[in-house]
Amino acid sequence: GAGVSQSPRYKVAKRGQDVALRCDPISGHVSLFWYQQALGQGPEFLTYFQNEAQLDKSGLPSDRFFAERPEGSVSTLKIQRTQQEDSAVYLCASTLGTRQNEKLFFGSGTQLSVL
Amino acid sequence: AQSVTQLDSQVPVFEEAPVELRCNYSSSVSVYLFWYVQYPNQGLQLLLKYLSGSTLVESINGFEAEFNKSQTSFHLRKPSVHISDTAEYFCAVASGGYQKVTFGTGTKLQVIP
């Protein structure tokens, strides 16, 4: 597609529910990143994929967070047993290659509210 | 480890006045530096970046940033702002061979007519 697409745009979950957030990167982009942006904060790194391989998951806050990119294109971020502190905007970004100086292309994000 | 500090959370400025948004970084190795902008109801997009070479980098819409290694700074400047520059600006750093980019907390630029 023309840009990075994320869905849903908004998600409201009851505490304890599982949620799945989808990211469709730009076609052909090798690298994919997930970021978490809490209110009034900058994006915080969660995890990084190079094609289907998850090379860095150091930013995932707990084992309730799980991400996958099984075919090297679409990625899903899953949060199990959601807690109120999980409320944030979840951003997906992709880059064409693997160099660290490349431009990140961001999606519009999924705003997750846990009640 | 790498980190970014943006001390100003909000900067109000009158239209056509100059502006400077401050950014300081911390890294023990060579760095790549970025400014990203988020316009209202839009996603983050790259404004400009420093990779190497000339320490002064410019964007297509009149912003510029200067890499200062001794002061570990990468401040963003514009000599005359427009209403359309109203947005949130994020400074970011990548270093040490790690793929992840670390962002600052952002500065909201509010241009007053």
Side-chain angles (χ1 to χ4, degrees):
Chain A
V4 178
S5 177
Q6 292 187 247
S7 61
R9 185 70 180 89
Y10 302 95
K11 176 69 179 176
V12 178
K14 290 183 179 178
R15 192 173 55 183
Q17 269 187 324
D18 297 348
V19 298
L21 312 180
R22 177 189 168 105
C23 172
D24 212 327
I26 294 174
S27 179
H29 276 200
V30 169
S31 297
L32 184 145
F33 304 80
W34 283 99
Y35 282 83
Q36 179 191 58
Q37 187 174 17
L39 191 63
Q41 301 297 315
E44 295 275 349
F45 172 84
L46 293 178
T47 187
Y48 162 60
F49 289 88
Q50 190 177 117
N51 294 307
E52 69 279 4
Q54 189 175 22
L55 299 187
D56 188 343
K57 53 181 181 180
S58 62
L60 296 176
S62 76
D63 58 8
R64 296 187 294 105
F65 286 71
F66 172 77
E68 60 183 3
R69 193 186 184 198
E71 297 179 0
S73 55
V74 171
S75 176
T76 304
L77 177 66
K78 298 179 180 178
I79 309 173
Q80 297 177 324
R81 306 181 302 281
T82 53
Q83 304 294 315
Q84 285 188 325
E85 62 262 28
D86 299 335
S87 295
V89 177
Y90 290 85
L91 299 170
C92 177
S94 67
T95 64
L96 179 63
T98 61
R99 294 171 299 166
Q100 64 176 154
N101 59 11
E102 291 192 47
K103 171 183 175 180
L104 287 162
F105 291 84
F106 280 90
S108 296
T110 294
Q111 185 171 330
L112 173 65
S113 299
V114 181
L115 306 178
Chain B
Q2 58 193 29
S3 65
V4 178
T5 302
Q6 292 181 254
L7 289 175
D8 305 309
S9 60
Q10 293 190 55
V11 174
V13 62
F14 285 104
E15 194 174 15
E16 298 183 5
V19 70
E20 178 180 83
L21 307 183
R22 295 179 295 167
C23 172
N24 288 88
Y25 68 91
S26 173
S27 174
S28 58
V29 295
S30 60
V31 298
Y32 302 115
L33 294 159
F34 310 84
W35 277 97
Y36 281 82
V37 58
Q38 187 168 29
Y39 297 104
N41 301 312
Q42 295 187 30
L44 280 157
Q45 53 188 285
L46 181 69
L47 184 62
L48 50 78
K49 63 180 178 181
Y50 168 77
L51 304 181
S52 64
S54 173
T55 57
L56 185 66
V57 291
E58 299 177 354
S59 72
I60 58 173
N61 58 352
F63 281 94
E64 63 179 31
E66 186 163 17
F67 169 59
N68 188 320
K69 188 175 181 179
S70 63
Q71 297 186 5
T72 60
S73 68
F74 191 55
H75 302 328
L76 182 69
R77 302 184 182 95
K78 189 171 185 179
S80 175
V81 295
H82 300 132
I83 292 290
S84 59
D85 294 325
T86 294
E88 189 159 18
Y89 293 79
F90 293 90
C91 185
V93 62
S95 68
Y98 293 102
Q99 192 68 19
K100 66 183 177 184
V101 175
T102 300
F103 287 84
T105 52
T107 298
K108 291 183 180 176
L109 174 62
Q110 183 183 6
V111 180
I112 305 164

